[in-house]
Amino acid sequence: ELKVEQNPLFLSMQEGKNYTIYCNYSTTSDRLYWYRQDPGKSLESLFVLLSNGAVKQEGRLMASLDTKARLSTLHITAAVHDLSATYFCAVVFYNNDMRFGAGTRLTVKP
Amino acid sequence: GAGVSQSPSNKVTEKGKDVELRCDPISGHTALYWYRQSLGQGLEFLIYFQGNSAPDKSGLPSDRFSAERTGGSVSTLTIQRTQQEDSAVYLCASSFRADSGNTIYFGEGSWLTVV
């Protein structure tokens, strides 16, 4: 079964703090995406991770991929209010079927 | 156009009616996906097209749902005899090619309300 699990589902952070969102998946994949979604909006692509050990960074966000552990992380450094949104990971499986995690709703408080 | 275009952006329909949702992918993109997102939920995979290959329909929730992609470009998702549980945002996405690391771009979605 193709499954993608994210945790936590809800995350409330103070500005300036660090935190990590986790994305586990059930079977082999070598492509993983992270998306951001603001309320009432569509999805914005953040990162594409293509290989084991891949690490990408953009501003206060850093994503990594461990294909052996079937795990990706999205690390938030020194959070700011503008990062408040829902973050989704999406995994592409063998038949190009892309499945999404349930999302992590992040709220950054001053 | 510059991005993935979906229409209508909003649709309110009566239970039992049929609806058609349209997706115009980015020019040159061969891969096209349909997803459904219920309020406050994650994305549910519906169907995937790659070029002129037979689509992967494994995510369609019932035989009331069907999708076409004409000429490898525009796609139409049809829901027959709509039910209230069909109310959701229907999101379309496209990419240059599915079996590569190309960015997948999403449209703004079609918000469907069945009353």
Side-chain angles (χ1 to χ4, degrees), chain B residues 20-34:
Chain B
E20 284 190 353
L21 307 176
R22 176 188 167 108
C23 174
D24 220 323
I26 293 172
S27 179
H29 280 193
T30 60
L32 187 147
Y33 301 80
W34 282 100

Side-chain angles (χ1 to χ4, degrees), chain B residues 11 13-19 36 62-65 79-88 90 112-115:
Chain B
K11 175 76 176 178
T13 190
E14 291 182 352
K15 179 180 171 181
K17 300 283 190 183
D18 297 352
V19 296
R36 175 168 72 175
S62 77
D63 59 8
R64 296 187 295 106
F65 288 72
I79 309 172
Q80 295 178 308
R81 305 180 303 281
T82 52
Q83 303 294 312
Q84 287 185 329
E85 61 261 30
D86 299 334
S87 297
Y90 289 82
L112 175 66
T113 303
V114 181
V115 297

Side-chain angles (χ1 to χ4, degrees), chain B:
Chain B
V4 178
S5 177
Q6 290 188 245
S7 62
S9 54
N10 283 285
K11 175 76 176 178
V12 179
T13 190
E14 291 182 352
K15 179 180 171 181
K17 300 283 190 183
D18 297 352
V19 296
E20 284 190 353
L21 307 176
R22 176 188 167 108
C23 174
D24 220 323
I26 293 172
S27 179
H29 280 193
T30 60
L32 187 147
Y33 301 80
W34 282 100
Y35 290 86
R36 175 168 72 175
Q37 186 177 29
S38 300
L39 189 63
Q41 302 296 311
L43 278 76
E44 175 188 5
F45 168 76
L46 296 178
I47 190 168
Y48 151 69
F49 296 89
Q50 173 59 61
N52 295 319
S53 302
D56 175 2
K57 303 181 180 181
S58 61
L60 294 177
S62 77
D63 59 8
R64 296 187 295 106
F65 288 72
S66 62
E68 292 185 330
R69 190 177 184 192
T70 53
S73 181
V74 172
S75 177
T76 303
L77 177 69
T78 301
I79 309 172
Q80 295 178 308
R81 305 180 303 281
T82 52
Q83 303 294 312
Q84 287 185 329
E85 61 261 30
D86 299 334
S87 297
V89 179
Y90 289 82
L91 290 163
C92 175
S94 74
S95 71
F96 180 66
R97 187 175 169 86
D99 57 351
S100 66
N102 293 294
T103 299
I104 299 172
Y105 297 90
F106 279 80
E108 293 296 313
S110 290
W111 295 67
L112 175 66
T113 303
V114 181
V115 297

Side-chain angles (χ1 to χ4, degrees), chain A residues 3-74:
Chain A
K3 289 180 64 174
V4 180
E5 294 183 346
Q6 265 182 259
N7 69 85
L9 299 182
F10 297 91
L11 178 57
S12 181
M13 298 176 62
Q14 293 292 125
E15 279 192 329
K17 297 292 187 183
N18 306 332
Y19 210 85
T20 300
I21 300 170
Y22 297 88
C23 175
N24 291 90
Y25 52 96
S26 60
T27 190
T28 303
S29 169
D30 58 4
R31 274 182 290 151
L32 188 143
Y33 295 80
W34 283 96
Y35 290 92
R36 169 182 173 144
Q37 187 178 38
D38 291 292
K41 301 291 187 181
S42 190
L43 279 79
E44 173 192 355
S45 179
L46 295 174
F47 300 108
V48 181
L49 301 169
L50 299 177
S51 60
N52 188 41
V55 177
K56 292 201 174 175
Q57 183 163 6
E58 180 75 33
R60 301 175 187 274
L61 300 178
M62 184 173 72
S64 66
L65 177 62
D66 181 342
T67 58
K68 294 180 181 177
R70 298 176 188 164
L71 170 69
S72 179
T73 60
L74 180 66

